[in-house]
Each structure stands twice: as structure tokens, then as C-alpha cells.
Amino acid sequence: MQAAGELSDAWATDRQWWKSAVVYQIYPRSFADSDGDGIGDLGGISSKIDYLADLGVDVIWLSPVYPSPQDDAGYDISNYQDIEPVFGTLADFDALLGAVHDRGMKLVMDLVVNHTSDEHPWFVESKSSPVNPKRDWYWWRPGREGMHGGDPGAEPTNWRASFSGSAWQYQAESGEYYLHLFSRKQPDLNWENPEVRGAVYQMMRWWLDRGVDGFRMDVINMISKDPLLPDGHTRSGLWGDGSPHYINGPRLHEFLQEMHREVLAGRKDQLLTVGEMPGCTVEEARLFTDQARAEVDMVFQFEHVELDQGATKWEVHPLRLADLKGSLGRWQAGLADVGWNSLYWNNHDQPRAVSRFGDDGEYRVRSAKLLGTLLHLHRGTPYVYQGEELGMTNAPFAQISDFRDIESINHFAEATASGQSPEAVLAALRTMSRDNARTPVQWNDSDNAGFSTGQPWIPVNPNYHEINASAARADPESVWHHYRTLIDLRHREPAVAYGDFTMVLPEHEQIYAFTRRLDDVELLVLGNVSGRTAMADQIPYAGNWENSELLITNAPAPDPSQPRLSLLPWEARVYRRVVADR
Ligand code: NOJ
């Protein structure tokens, strides 16, 4: 006979708390400003904790709040164990954490340890001399053999940096280069060096001891590089793609398992670890998130948000629905028995989903609800990015001076210098720039959308008179109330959190349809991802579904004179039935 302990262990490995949880991401600069300097801060977040509790989310992921020169809006950290003064103090942080815990929620920190700021004391020491003990904490290399350091083409490899130009920065004093996969002010840490790893683990333990509930790990699949640093393939232009040599590198699993042993083991059950992993495949994700391997709880992958792009994110084309279903369906199938995925349309690096995948004009509310419905009904842990619950849209950027993001600004400079027309580059930025996600949260229709009494660091989207939290909360038909219902459904209906997933009509050009099944409960999710009516009567057992319980909808009650499975533009429905009914 099975002992009670064994039984509960089996249940526990299958039904971890974060499978029925919803994460809300806060981008602190743009969330809420409590002191009128135009930049969001911890006090502002604390003032909105009841708003988040009311929405029903379980976990807050805080984008970086550490001291930082803000070259990459906080993803360039100069001190891992303090708070950026613009955002507040450690005491403000503790107060926020206490308020989050008092409401039964958790708080997860952003862990940015692929790189530091070039102003971090570790790098300041490292760059001070080739014989400094911290020299090896970063990737320093001489120029290419036979070439003179600093000359064009003398970089140690041809790798391109994510924010344009070479991934190597020359230091004339030492005649060496350091590696930076992102901006020049974000030198990459050398994880080959055990002292680096030890220092990172110590810092992580410090935050856990302070009470935080886990980490979202920034580009964590880039920490292990091929130490031979081979050149990458070039497609066009000067720079090559080094990513095969630093994405999912040779020692990544070893490092993650070591981190788990050194930091997480023993206190893991209540924590959440999510690895941001660009370029991660389903097969790799199974390994990273197999609980038996003790690496991370879930990945945050990018395949589905790259389907509307060409070779770079700036070459944008319309999304084919079948491609989206193909990708998300493959991830659902690939992680069905082992592993776990994050579910998201938005974050601080992506344009606003309702503008990108929905209709931010006539059908803004309905299409925002459709996108939320489809996402939250998948298997995985859904992430709500601030303002998504309001159906916030992309911003009407007019000129390059309206942008603040280093990626956008550098791309504009590089692309126009290489001969692209400024208007064409601006058009791509308007569609894809990360700044679309970074305009202030629209709280009400007072000045600056109630975000700040001062001049916001980036302009508020002028549509705040119509789109804002206070109006949304007062309107039972709003996107906000719909998200609240979706979050509540995940908490109440085990089939949403744990059920099997089956894609239906994978090739259909308008309809996104799938079923979820747990024991005898089956859900059918239907979405018309288009601005034209669509018939969903090709789904299996259509007749039975028509008569089952309609749990969620984003449209007026079906017109009795129409076939019941005829869907209005952007209509989404969730049906539930007990399978014995079939
Ligand atoms: C991924 C983060 O999400 C992004 O905002 C940042 O620029 C890069 N990593 C570098 O830290």
C-alpha cells in the first residue's frame, strides 16, 4: 500500500502552487510615481497593492529596482544589494514586500546576472588592470591576431550586440576588449570563474533571507559561453550572429543545477524561478524545467512573439494565425508530461498585444479580451504585464526624440547611417519598439493619467481619457473585469491549471480553438481571431458543445436566429461540460 507521504509527494510534484497562479509584471519606472519626479517608484507600487489584490493575481514580478546608471532602464545594475534612490530605499522595499505578503501574494525579483553595469564595483576593479584579481570576472580578450587593437575588424569575434554594433568594447589602456552582448555599459560576467558564481549565489541568498519569493532570471540561458569564442555567421553587414556560441552554452545545465543546490534547495517549495530564455527550443525547455533535474520551474520563451518578424525584429509582417497555433501548440504538446512554460503576449520588451495581434480601434475591448481568454486558458503560468488588463495600446510616437529605449535609439542611428530612410525606420519602431510597453500606466483621466504629478519620463499615451483603470473598474464590461474573471477561473477550475491540451482546427485561418481536459471535465475554448464573423461548426462534437455551459464570453449573448457556433468579430467563448454528457 502506498504511504500517505508518498501520495502527497506525487501530488506535490504534479501540482505545484505556481501552476494555478497568475503573475503580474511591474515595470517600476512606468507604474506609479509617489513623489512627483515623473518616474515610478516603490511608494507608487505600494499605493496600488490593493488594486493588484483585487485583480486577483498571485505573484508580482518586479523589473529591476537596483541602483543603476539606467543605460538599459535598470537592466544594467551597479549594486545588486540595494535600491536605486529614484525608486526608494531598502526600507521602502521591505514595506512593499510586507504589504504584498499581507495580502497573500508573492514577490519575485528580477535577477540580472548575465552582465552587470560597467559602473558596478566588480567591473570597475576588473577594468583597472589586467592583473587585478577581478580581471577574470569578465570576458577580456586581445584583438584579432595580426591586427591592431581598436582598428576596424580587430574585435576578438564578429559577434553583434543586441543593441547594435559589435559585442566587444575596446579599452585603449590595456589594449584589450571586453564582451557585452547588450550595451557597452553592460559587460558580460564570466561564469567560468567560480568566484563569480559564488558572489551571485551569495547575493541571491541575501534576497531570499530578506523574504522575496523567487527570481525571474534575465537571459539566463546566455551565462555559459563557448570559451573558444568562435565567430558567428554573417548574413549581411559587418556583424555576425554569435548566439549559437552563447545561447544554451556548454555548461548551462551545470550552472543552473549548481545555483539550485547553492541557493534554492531546501526552501524551494514556496519559491518561483523562471528563466528568461531567448532562442530556447521545446526540447531544451523540457530539460530546464524537468523538476527532477532541479534547474528552474518554468521558461519564458520567445518563439511565438517572433512569428511576425523577418531576420530581425524590425522586419515586421502580419502574423499568420496557423503559425501561432503551430508554435504554441507544439509547446503545449512538448511540455505535456514534463516541464512547464510561461504564457504571455506582453512584457516590457514587446509592443502592446492589442495593437499587435488584435484591433486597437473599433474592437479594442473585445479583441483585448479575446487575447486574454486564449492565453489564460492554455496550460502554463499566465503573465499579465501592467496595463494589459486595461487593454492599453501602442503609443503614437511621432519622431525619434519621442523614444527613450536604447535599443530603439541605437537601431535608428545604425539603420539610418546605413542608408535606410528615417521614415521607414520610424515606421518599424512605432510597431515594434519596446517603448510601446513603457508608457505610464493609465490610472485615471486626470493630468498625466494619474501616473505622476510631475513631468513623466516618457509621455503618457494620449488615449488615457478613454483607457484608464478608474473607468475600467467602473465598467463591468471592461477588459479589467474580464481579466479578473480569467484569473479567478484559473484558481477555481482545476482543468485550466492542470488539464491536458488539444489543439482543434490547427489550419483554420480565423478560429483559434482548443480543448482542455481533466478527469471528466472538458473545456472548449473558441476564439475568432479576425474582424470578420466565423463559423466554428467544424469542431468535433459541435452539437454537444452548443448545449453545454458557456463559462466565459466577450460578446453579447448569441443571437438565437444565428447558428450557435457562429462567432462575431474577435469573439471568444469558453464552454464547459462534464464528459459523461457526451
Ligand atoms: C532581457 C530584458 O528583458 C531586457 O529588457 C534587457 O534589455 C535585456 N535582457 C538585457 O538585460
Side-chain angles (χ1 to χ4, degrees):
M1 222 182 82
Q2 193 166 30
E6 279 171 53
L7 194 67
S8 68
D9 280 348
W11 191 85
T13 51
D14 232 26
R15 297 201 169 185
Q16 296 88 348
W17 65 269
W18 34 260
K19 290 188 175 171
S20 60
V22 175
V23 180
Y24 187 96
Q25 183 192 353
I26 291 184
Y27 191 70
R29 290 182 81 73
S30 308
F31 190 67
D33 175 21
S34 68
D35 61 5
D37 65 0
I39 301 176
D41 50 37
L42 295 178
I45 300 172
S46 287
S47 73
K48 303 293 184 190
I49 285 300
D50 286 326
Y51 169 88
L52 298 174
D54 228 18
L55 185 60
V57 297
D58 306 274
V59 181
I60 294 169
W61 148 24
L62 209 52
S63 274
V65 288
Y66 313 97
S68 161
Q70 304 289 328
D71 188 53
D72 182 19
Y75 283 88
D76 48 317
I77 296 169
S78 52
N79 180 351
Y80 286 116
Q81 293 180 217
D82 205 346
I83 298 295
E84 163 63 41
V86 163
F87 295 142
T89 61
L90 274 172
D92 295 332
F93 177 83
D94 291 338
L96 170 63
L97 186 60
V100 169
H101 286 165
D102 285 348
R103 285 155 185 83
M105 298 187 287
K106 293 179 186 274
L107 188 141
V108 160
M109 297 297 272
D110 219 308
L111 179 81
V112 187
V113 290
N114 173 69
H115 44 267
T116 65
S117 162
D118 66 340
E119 297 181 31
H120 193 292
W122 296 345
F123 188 76
V124 172
E125 272 195 59
S126 182
K127 76 172 185 193
S128 67
S129 146
V131 295
N132 184 279
K134 291 218 168 45
R135 187 67 165 186
D136 183 53
W137 282 38
Y138 295 83
W139 293 86
W140 289 96
R141 290 291 183 277
R144 215 171 263 272
E145 216 176 312
M147 294 195 73
H148 189 262
D151 284 354
E155 293 81 11
T157 73
N158 67 353
W159 298 359
R160 174 189 183 79
S162 285
F163 298 153
S164 303
S166 168
W168 295 93
Q169 176 66 27
Y170 184 59
Q171 190 206 34
E173 299 91 295
S174 67
E176 290 190 327
Y177 294 79
Y178 66 84
L179 176 68
H180 61 87
L181 294 180
F182 293 89
S183 97
R184 262 186 298 130
K185 288 184 66 62
Q186 292 168 296
D188 279 56
L189 281 166
N190 175 16
W191 277 67
E192 298 293 315
N193 185 320
E195 289 175 18
V196 168
R197 307 203 298 275
V200 168
Y201 303 153
Q202 173 275 324
M203 170 272 281
M204 292 174 75
R205 286 190 295 263
W206 186 84
W207 282 106
L208 292 180
D209 291 344
R210 211 172 184 97
V212 309
D213 303 293
F215 299 99
R216 172 270 184 187
M217 303 176 177
D218 189 71
V219 291
I220 201 69
N221 65 336
M222 298 190 185
I223 59 176
S224 165
K225 280 95 176 160
D226 176 348
L228 297 176
L229 304 177
D231 274 337
H233 287 298
T234 43
R235 192 174 61 98
S236 62
L238 273 180
W239 309 114
D241 175 13
S243 62
H245 311 298
Y246 60 73
I247 283 195
N248 298 342
R251 298 182 68 189
L252 181 56
H253 290 293
E254 175 197 333
F255 292 160
L256 291 177
Q257 286 170 11
E258 181 183 76
M259 178 191 280
H260 195 281
R261 269 197 316 277
E262 297 288 323
V263 179
L264 306 165
R267 43 180 155 190
K268 179 69 195 64
D269 285 358
Q270 299 309 311
L271 302 180
L272 172 66
T273 56
V274 46
E276 190 209 23
M277 300 204 180
C280 177
T281 64
V282 188
E283 295 70 32
E284 289 154 348
R286 273 177 77 90
L287 298 176
F288 292 125
T289 60
D290 176 353
Q291 289 287 307
R293 294 170 56 91
E295 297 186 14
V296 293
D297 294 328
M298 61 187 84
V299 294
F300 198 93
Q301 58 87 23
F302 289 77
E303 197 179 281
H304 66 296
V305 289
E306 290 171 348
L307 299 170
D308 57 352
Q309 301 165 13
T312 73
K313 71 182 267 183
W314 310 112
E315 295 163 44
V316 194
H317 57 75
L319 175 71
R320 268 193 73 233
L321 184 61
D323 291 346
L324 181 67
K325 290 186 282 187
S327 170
L328 290 177
R330 214 158 24 73
W331 278 82
Q332 293 286 309
L335 300 181
D337 53 345
V338 172
W340 200 252
N341 196 5
S342 306
L343 306 170
Y344 72 97
W345 300 127
N346 290 274
N347 71 14
H348 64 292
D349 294 330
Q350 303 293 330
R352 291 284 178 182
V354 69
S355 301
R356 183 181 188 181
F357 302 126
D359 172 353
D360 63 6
E362 182 184 356
Y363 290 114
R364 182 186 67 85
V365 169
R366 201 188 288 166
S367 66
K369 291 180 183 176
L370 165 130
L371 289 168
T373 308
L374 292 179
L375 192 81
H376 283 245
L377 269 290
H378 276 72
R379 188 179 157 90
T381 298
Y383 286 60
V384 180
Y385 176 68
Q386 64 185 38
E388 176 181 342
E389 77 280 14
L390 307 174
M392 278 180 61
T393 66
N394 279 356
F397 298 113
Q399 60 236 339
I400 187 62
S401 58
D402 292 343
F403 292 90
R404 302 286 179 274
D405 171 30
I406 182 169
E407 181 189 50
S408 301
I409 293 168
N410 286 1
H411 170 66
F412 184 84
E414 190 179 65
T416 53
S418 77
Q420 288 185 43
S421 88
E423 256 324 304
V425 181
L426 275 177
L429 288 183
R430 268 183 216 114
T431 316
M432 287 307 292
S433 172
R434 309 194 294 182
D435 278 336
N436 282 304
R438 300 178 181 187
T439 62
V441 171
Q442 296 163 203
W443 293 106
N444 54 47
D445 71 353
S446 69
D447 286 353
N448 299 323
F451 161 71
S452 174
T453 54
Q455 179 71 25
W457 69 277
I458 186 171
V460 172
N461 192 320
N463 64 16
Y464 72 88
H465 295 290
E466 180 203 346
I467 305 173
N468 64 67
S470 129
R473 295 187 67 182
D475 172 8
E477 300 299 319
S478 68
V479 180
W480 193 86
H481 282 282
H482 194 80
Y483 267 70
R484 196 167 185 250
T485 303
L486 291 169
I487 295 165
D488 180 53
L489 181 67
R490 175 163 289 259
H491 293 153
R492 278 189 301 105
E493 175 60 75
V496 175
Y498 314 114
D500 293 344
F501 176 101
T502 306
M503 190 70 84
V504 185
L505 313 181
E507 292 301 327
H508 200 291
E509 285 173 6
Q510 287 172 278
I511 293 178
Y512 199 131
F514 54 91
T515 57
R516 303 292 312 277
R517 168 89 184 254
L518 184 73
D519 303 327
D520 59 352
V521 172
E522 194 170 22
L523 307 174
L524 170 70
V525 182
L526 289 179
N528 176 5
V529 190
S530 82
R532 292 160 291 126
T533 52
M535 276 300 291
D537 56 357
Q538 310 94 320
I539 54 154
Y541 308 107
N544 282 2
W545 282 115
E546 282 181 27
N547 300 318
S548 58
E549 182 190 0
L550 182 56
L551 273 186
I552 290 186
T553 169
N554 65 348
D559 176 349
S561 71
Q562 295 294 315
R564 271 203 80 201
L565 291 180
S566 153
L567 300 177
L568 294 171
W570 303 104
E571 180 168 0
R573 296 184 195 166
V574 181
Y575 287 101
R576 180 184 194 274
R577 69 183 178 188
V578 175
V579 177
D581 286 347
R582 209 181 246 179

